[in-house]
């Protein structure tokens, strides 16, 4: 055993050696209970994220129907399609679906803003929480994003008009924006925590499993609408205004998993990599690794440590280095900036099409006959003139929304959910880059094919559904999963959360463009929109070649963190070699490997 006085002569090499051995054991640990806990805690949050994100697309038509139906639905059905006795039937929100986009003076942009408001919040949350994750630590902010989500979910579900100028839609949009901040904050922190606790062999599988909960959340949202509508069927069929209960309850259900996950997130220990590489508290990091390896083998998913870092580091002098100066110096190097640009652009390209198509689900549902009855060809007589018109017959408004919910369940089951889990199963065997390249290539081909043959496909249900399902499958068994995984692996510890946050925010910027700038024109010019999406997907494929393959390599090897803590320069909490010597002297008998 080395004596304290011997450590003074070569403190850094001793610490580097112990750190390397400890990280090696973390990287080589068998998949165990602590890993399961990390995936479950992060995954439940991500399930909530996706549920809250995508459930709004089915809520908005109900909101429009309840709050604007009586204002915009007027007139009568022609006697030729309304009654067998030839009398006319009045149009009401009970028998006509409101086309809010067409009826409202600025409907297309109001609708797009409400759908994109969460993504605007995501952008803020991803950059903000990504930065805070590197400055304050993963543990100190983990769980805060869920608290934000809980508050804003309640606010969204209870939205109402407040005053002149603050209509129901304005208030809902504001709550959704704030909700998006919490959801966005979950992206970098959950990914980075999972990556830094994972072993090398299953790191990609673990991160992909966390992200795969997005598919389960999307599916659960659709099922929740089916179930809630079933409960309220008699009430809705008697009065369409009871749809107000349906969308509020369904939005509120998202609160349940978030509440469940908050405690576990608040008790997650700091990652040893952040503790050692950013805080400089190497001894605490080594002790935490020892605890993790113990927990991994005793069959529990709870932990009771996590305050040692604060106690150890308190009252010790530190030498702070400007985070922004260090960030600029690191990413000012072309090789490092190229990786950040590639992770950001690939996510941007993906989300332009992914979200652009997601908000136009109604078009897809119409093509597979799950968006209400088709228009009928009717000879309408006015005075002495008879004219052929294509008119939508009266509907049961409950049946319409029930059909829509079932259609979303079918779409989720057909390609979306399976694609995520194919990634989980194969990401370590195939590697991240091959999956991402394959996904971009197949999506490019599918969207390009649909653009060229849209006039034919839009009239043929089965061929369209096959191609659309293939595209949805390879979105998930492709870049939608890998653009989340790769940024959590390729950056050094001190910038890992920020780098992931910037990449994710770039994706949400693409989502905003897809939803607000391109998506609204899908119905009127599908060929052009699909063509644009196809070209953007191809550009994402090209950018993927700038990324390194991360499978089978440690985080330190990927990011080239070769020196103590990955760099001679420290940012965040602070670091000094003196502190390291003091930490070593606190417990010179430490030994992880006997």
């Amino acid at each position: 055993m080395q004596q304290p006085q011997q450590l003074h002569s070569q403190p850094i090499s001793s610490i580097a050696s112990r750190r390397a051995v400890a990280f090696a054991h973390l990287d080589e640990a068998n998949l165990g209970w602590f890993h399961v806990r990390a995936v479950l805690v992060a995954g439940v949050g991500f399930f909530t994220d996706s549920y809250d994100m995508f459930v709004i697309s089915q809520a908005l038509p109900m909101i429009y129907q309840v709050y604007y139906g009586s204002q915009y639905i007027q007139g009568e059905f022609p006697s030729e399609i309304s009654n067998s006795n030839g009398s006319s039937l009045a149009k009401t929100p009970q028998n006509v679906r409101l086309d809010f986009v067409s009826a409202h003076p600025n409907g297309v942009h109001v609708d797009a803003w409400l759908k994109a408001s969460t993504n605007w919040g995501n952008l803020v949350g991803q950059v903000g929480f990504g930065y805070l994750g590197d400055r304050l630590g993963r543990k100190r902010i983990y769980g805060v994003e869920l608290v934000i989500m809980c508050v804003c979910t309640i606010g969204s579900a209870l939205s109402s008009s407040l005053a002149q100028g603050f209509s129901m839609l304005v208030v809902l949009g504001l709550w959704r924006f704030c909700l998006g901040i919490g959801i966005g904050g979950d992206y970098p922190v959950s990914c980075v925590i999972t990556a830094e606790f994972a072993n090398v062999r299953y790191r990609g599988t673990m991160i992909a499993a966390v992200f795969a909960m997005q598919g389960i959340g999307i599916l659960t949202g659709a099922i929740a609408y089916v179930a809630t509508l079933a409960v309220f069927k008699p009430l809705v069929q008697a009065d369409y205004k009871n749809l107000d209960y349906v969308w509020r309850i369904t939005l509120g259900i998202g609160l349940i998993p978030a509440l469940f996950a908050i405690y576990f997130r608040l008790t997650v220990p700091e990652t040893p990599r952040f503790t050692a590489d950013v805080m400089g508290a190497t001894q605490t990091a080594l002790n935490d690794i020892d605890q993790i390896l113990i927990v991994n083998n005793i069959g529990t998913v709870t932990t009771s440590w996590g305050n040692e870092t604060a106690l150890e580091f308190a009252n010790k002098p530190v030498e702070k280095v400007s985070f922004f100066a260090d960030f600029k110096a690191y990413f000012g190097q072309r090789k490092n900036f190229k990786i950040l640009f590639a992770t950001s652009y690939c996510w941007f390209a993906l989300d332009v099409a992914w979200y652009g198509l997601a908000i136009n689900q109604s078009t897809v549902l119409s093509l597979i006959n799950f968006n209400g009855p088709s228009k009928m060809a009717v000879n309408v007589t006015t005075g002495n003139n008879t004219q052929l018109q294509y008119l939508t017959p009266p509907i049961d408004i409950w049946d319409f929304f029930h059909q829509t919910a079932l259609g979303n369940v079918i779409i989720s089951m057909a390609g979306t959910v399976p694609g995520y889990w194919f990634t989980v199963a194969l990401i370590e065997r195939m590697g991240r880059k091959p999956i991402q390249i394959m996904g971009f290539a197949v999506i490019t081909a599918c969207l390009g094919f649909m653009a060229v043959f849209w006039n034919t496909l839009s009239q043929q249900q089965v061929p369209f559904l096959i191609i659309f399902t293939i595209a949805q499958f390879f979105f998930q068994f492709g870049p939608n999963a890998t653009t989340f995984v790769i940024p959590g692996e390729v950056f050094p510890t001190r910038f890992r959360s920020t780098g992931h946050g910037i990449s994710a925010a770039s994706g949400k910027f693409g989502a905003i463009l897809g939803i607000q700038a391109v998506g609204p024109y899908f119905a009127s010019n599908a060929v052009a929109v699909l063509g644009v999406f196809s070209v953007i997907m191809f550009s994402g494929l090209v950018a993927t070649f700038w990324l390194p393959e991360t499978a089978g390599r440690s985080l330190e090897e990927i990011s080239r963190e070769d020196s103590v803590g990955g760099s001679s320069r420290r940012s965040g909490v602070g670091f000094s070699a003196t502190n390291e010597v003091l930490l070593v002297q606190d417990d010179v008998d430490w030994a992880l490997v006997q």
Side-chain angles (χ1 to χ4, degrees):
M1 183 197 313
Q2 287 184 309
Q3 299 301 316
Q5 60 267 28
Q6 294 176 301
L7 293 171
H8 282 285
S9 59
Q10 293 180 325
I12 299 300
S13 60
S14 172
I15 294 163
S17 175
R18 290 166 59 182
R19 170 184 171 278
V21 170
F23 282 4
H25 277 258
L26 190 62
D27 287 335
E28 296 168 7
N30 293 326
L31 191 67
W33 284 102
F34 188 86
H35 296 131
V36 172
R37 178 191 192 277
V39 171
L40 288 176
V41 172
V44 170
F46 236 82
F47 167 88
T48 307
D49 296 346
S50 61
Y51 181 96
D52 289 338
M53 279 268 290
F54 293 95
V55 78
I56 193 65
S57 64
Q58 296 180 71
L60 287 176
M62 295 185 186
I63 295 170
Y64 300 151
Q65 194 76 19
V66 171
Y67 289 91
Y68 293 89
S70 60
Q71 179 181 348
Y72 292 115
I73 298 175
Q74 299 173 357
E76 296 179 338
F77 288 100
S79 58
E80 287 83 357
I81 65 171
S82 58
N83 266 302
S84 58
N85 60 13
S87 61
S88 296
L89 176 67
K91 293 182 178 179
T92 71
Q94 197 70 43
N95 58 28
V96 175
R97 178 184 69 89
L98 174 63
D99 184 357
F100 179 82
V101 171
S102 300
H104 192 278
N106 201 28
V108 64
H109 298 296
V110 171
D111 183 67
W113 154 249
L114 287 168
K115 291 174 178 175
S117 58
T118 311
N119 288 282
W120 280 104
N122 287 166
L123 193 153
V124 174
Q126 286 160 345
V127 174
F129 276 82
Y131 167 73
L132 292 174
D134 285 334
R135 293 306 304 271
L136 303 179
R138 288 58 158 139
K139 173 182 171 58
R140 287 181 67 180
I141 64 171
Y142 204 40
V144 175
E145 76 290 342
L146 278 184
V147 173
I148 295 173
M149 288 166 57
C150 288
V151 172
C152 295
T153 297
I154 295 171
S156 297
L158 299 178
S159 293
S160 62
S161 178
L162 292 180
Q164 184 68 28
F166 281 85
S167 68
M168 163 71 181
L169 298 183
V170 172
V171 173
L172 178 63
L174 290 174
W175 278 117
R176 295 291 299 179
F177 172 81
C178 295
L179 174 67
I181 294 175
I183 293 173
D186 199 21
Y187 275 65
V189 186
S190 285
C191 179
V192 167
I193 282 180
T194 305
E196 292 181 350
F197 278 132
N199 58 18
V200 170
R201 182 178 179 184
Y202 294 107
R203 187 179 62 239
T205 300
M206 289 174 62
I207 301 173
V210 170
F211 192 71
M213 295 306 293
Q214 184 180 80
I216 304 298
I218 294 171
L219 175 61
T220 303
I223 293 174
Y225 273 114
V226 173
T228 310
L229 281 164
V231 171
F232 280 85
K233 180 178 180 179
L235 294 175
V236 174
Q237 288 184 326
D239 185 354
Y240 73 96
K241 290 184 179 180
N242 286 308
L243 287 168
D244 205 37
Y245 294 110
V246 175
W247 73 264
R248 292 181 188 275
I249 290 172
T250 309
L251 259 63
I253 289 173
L255 183 67
I256 298 172
L259 288 173
F260 173 78
I262 285 177
Y263 168 76
F264 293 98
R265 288 200 171 190
L266 293 176
T267 58
V268 166
E270 185 57 82
T271 69
R273 285 183 162 92
F274 181 87
T275 302
D277 291 350
V278 179
M279 295 190 71
T282 303
Q283 186 60 49
T284 295
L286 302 179
N287 293 338
D288 283 352
I289 291 173
D290 199 10
Q291 290 290 325
I292 290 169
L293 296 177
I294 292 172
V295 171
N296 230 20
N297 296 316
I298 62 176
T300 178
V301 293
T302 61
T303 56
S304 58
W305 83 96
N307 295 321
E308 295 89 339
T309 300
L311 294 173
E312 177 186 343
F313 217 76
N315 302 319
K316 289 190 176 183
V318 295
E319 299 174 6
K320 290 188 177 181
V321 177
S322 168
F323 177 88
F324 295 106
D326 196 10
F327 184 90
K328 182 179 179 181
Y330 181 83
F331 288 105
Q333 300 178 50
R334 185 177 181 276
K335 62 181 180 181
N336 298 328
F337 176 76
K338 183 176 71 173
I339 293 175
L340 178 61
F341 175 82
T343 57
S344 299
Y345 184 79
C346 289
W347 209 330
F348 167 86
L350 163 77
D351 277 4
V352 170
W354 164 239
Y355 282 90
L357 291 173
I359 68 158
N360 286 289
Q361 207 83 298
S362 60
T363 303
V364 178
L365 292 172
S366 296
L367 292 171
I368 63 173
N369 295 328
F370 274 90
N371 199 35
S374 302
K375 291 185 177 182
M376 299 171 55
V378 180
N379 290 312
V380 179
T381 302
T382 305
N384 296 324
N385 296 323
T386 300
Q387 185 178 9
L388 180 65
Q389 297 183 13
Y390 291 89
L391 303 173
T392 303
I395 64 172
D396 177 342
I397 198 63
W398 177 89
D399 186 60
F400 166 77
F401 284 110
H402 189 252
Q403 273 195 27
T404 301
L406 286 175
N408 279 291
V409 171
I410 293 171
I411 291 173
S412 297
M413 290 295 293
T416 302
V417 173
Y420 285 105
W421 294 100
F422 265 74
T423 301
V424 173
L426 298 174
I427 192 168
E428 299 297 354
R429 293 184 183 181
M430 294 181 61
R432 286 62 155 163
K433 281 182 68 174
I435 290 177
Q436 185 159 308
I437 291 169
M438 173 188 67
F440 270 129
V442 174
I443 299 165
T444 298
C446 287
L447 296 181
F449 186 85
M450 285 196 287
V452 173
F453 298 101
W454 178 253
N455 291 334
T456 301
L457 289 173
S458 61
Q459 305 299 321
Q460 298 182 14
Q461 179 180 342
V462 174
F464 170 81
L465 187 58
I466 290 173
I467 296 172
F468 183 81
T469 300
I470 292 171
Q472 287 296 310
F473 178 83
F474 282 98
F475 266 118
Q476 322 319 327
F477 183 35
N480 196 32
T482 53
T483 53
F484 178 81
V485 174
I486 294 172
E489 301 178 307
V490 294
F491 303 114
T493 303
R494 65 193 189 279
F495 300 132
R496 187 167 292 127
S497 181
T498 305
H500 194 284
I502 291 172
S503 302
S506 300
K508 286 303 170 283
F509 181 66
I512 291 165
L513 287 180
I515 294 171
Q516 291 191 266
V518 182
Y521 305 101
F522 186 89
S524 60
N525 201 345
V527 173
V529 171
L530 289 169
V532 169
F533 286 167
S534 180
V535 171
I536 293 174
M537 289 297 95
F538 181 76
S539 69
L541 185 157
V542 173
T544 301
F545 287 99
W546 282 8
L547 295 170
E549 178 54 63
T550 59
R553 302 164 65 192
S554 72
L555 295 176
E556 288 68 37
E557 181 185 357
I558 296 165
S559 59
R560 302 181 298 278
E561 293 183 279
D562 300 318
S563 59
V564 178
S567 175
S568 60
R569 303 183 64 185
R570 295 281 179 161
S571 58
V573 176
F575 168 84
S576 70
T578 303
N579 286 340
E580 288 282 21
V581 175
L582 290 172
L583 294 173
V584 173
Q585 289 178 321
D586 283 342
D587 186 6
V588 295
D589 294 324
W590 175 90
L592 182 61
V593 185
Q594 299 297 328

